Amino acid sequence: MEEIAPRVRVAGALALVGALTLTACGSSDSATSASVLLTPIPTVAHKAGKGASVVAFGDSVPAGGGGCECGDFVQDYADLITDRTGKTSTVDNFAVGGTTSSDVVDLLATTQAQAAIKSATIVLIMTGANDYDDAFDEASIGIDPSQVYPAVATVVQDNVTNAIGKIKKLNSKAHVVVLDYWAAEEDGAVARSEYDSTTMAASISCTDSVNNALSLAAKASSAKYISTLTAFKGPSGTNDDTNLLGADGDHPDATGHQVIARAIYAVYPKG
């Protein structure tokens, strides 16, 4: 995977440092979930004063990868807060396509990331799917997922727990949110077209594994766990999410990003 520099958005202005590459995760009843989450939010007049400060870490999903050129849920979420409060929210988005949970931990050692965290009101983490790339390849050709996924899950859980601890040490007042994945690989119509039964089963098991690791990390660290799987596929986790995905079946489209932003906003409407 090509190395990519993080990008930073401040108050809606995007500074793109380097090009984006992708890998990551990707899931019509979900239209019902989307319509509920996409209920218009009244915009209030601009007010003086400091707004929310949103900081994000992770892979190509929070980075806005996938080729839809539709922005990302991190900025969408900040814009929702601005619309609610009238105070301009700022964004520092350190998400980079193709990165793993270990990369997030490494990034937290940088001066730039630490400075952003110290002034954050909320920190979003969405990482772990790319850790499974090799294991998924093995499971998709018939190797038992129970033989290849648990070791990766341990790494993801440890790294995310470590990352949350570092974030809280830098800023104990900031909300920390761990987001799971609606699917750890391709999903929706694309997956149904491209995956055979073995690969589909490997993908479902992969999603279960990474999401369980993320849930355990959030619980152990007293961070908030917010499920994009529930937002995309409903409480049963079985709704078709094709209409929330881009053409690659692996990343959200514009509506999908809005649905994720609204899921976070429902829990933290002020950032």
Side-chain angles (χ1 to χ4, degrees):
M1 265 304 173
E2 180 183 352
E3 294 279 334
I4 307 170
R7 61 184 198 161
V8 179
R9 287 176 103 165
V10 181
L14 171 64
L16 182 58
V17 186
L20 288 175
T21 58
L22 337 199
T23 31
C25 325
S27 327
S28 222
D29 243 353
S30 72
T32 303
S33 301
S35 66
V36 172
L37 287 168
L38 296 175
T39 302
I41 293 173
T43 300
V44 301
H46 181 79
K47 301 176 182 178
K50 185 177 180 181
S53 176
V54 183
V55 177
F57 297 94
D59 54 30
S60 57
V61 178
C68 81
E69 298 181 359
C70 55
D72 56 73
F73 71 78
V74 181
Q75 185 64 50
D76 290 345
Y77 169 58
D79 291 344
L80 291 173
I81 301 170
T82 297
D83 288 346
R84 175 190 175 95
T85 65
K87 298 180 180 180
T88 302
S89 301
T90 61
V91 172
D92 288 291
N93 191 345
F94 294 94
V96 181
T99 57
T100 66
S101 60
S102 296
D103 294 321
V104 170
V105 174
D106 291 343
L107 185 56
L108 290 173
T110 66
T111 301
Q112 185 182 18
Q114 290 180 2
I117 290 168
K118 288 177 181 178
S119 62
T121 57
I122 187 166
V123 181
L124 311 176
I125 304 171
M126 190 175 191
T127 186
N130 291 323
D131 293 66
Y132 282 79
D133 283 351
D134 292 339
F136 173 69
D137 288 344
E138 294 178 342
S140 67
I141 60 172
I143 297 176
D144 188 345
S146 67
Q147 295 181 14
V148 292
Y149 287 166
V152 184
T154 298
V155 171
V156 171
Q157 182 180 343
D158 289 348
N159 283 333
V160 174
T161 301
N162 187 8
I164 297 169
K166 290 179 180 294
I167 291 166
K168 290 193 171 187
K169 187 173 182 179
L170 289 165
N171 185 347
S172 61
K173 295 182 179 180
H175 302 299
V176 181
V177 172
V178 176
L179 295 147
D180 74 2
Y181 294 91
W182 61 93
E185 305 296 334
E186 291 178 359
D187 205 31
V190 172
R192 291 193 293 272
S193 173
E194 297 186 356
Y195 287 174
D196 60 20
S197 59
T198 300
T199 305
M200 184 67 79
S203 176
I204 293 170
S205 295
C206 187
T207 302
D208 290 343
S209 181
V210 66
N211 285 353
N212 184 59
L214 294 171
S215 175
L216 290 172
K219 184 176 181 179
S221 308
S222 298
K224 178 63 71 173
Y225 180 82
I226 294 179
S227 177
T228 71
L229 189 153
T230 300
F232 275 36
K233 296 184 172 185
S236 68
T238 58
N239 295 348
D240 183 7
D241 58 3
T242 299
N243 66 326
L244 301 178
L245 302 177
D248 64 356
D250 202 31
H251 297 82
D253 63 9
T255 303
H257 278 288
Q258 274 289 322
V259 167
I260 298 173
R262 295 300 182 100
I264 303 168
Y265 178 83
V267 181
Y268 292 115
K270 297 181 180 179

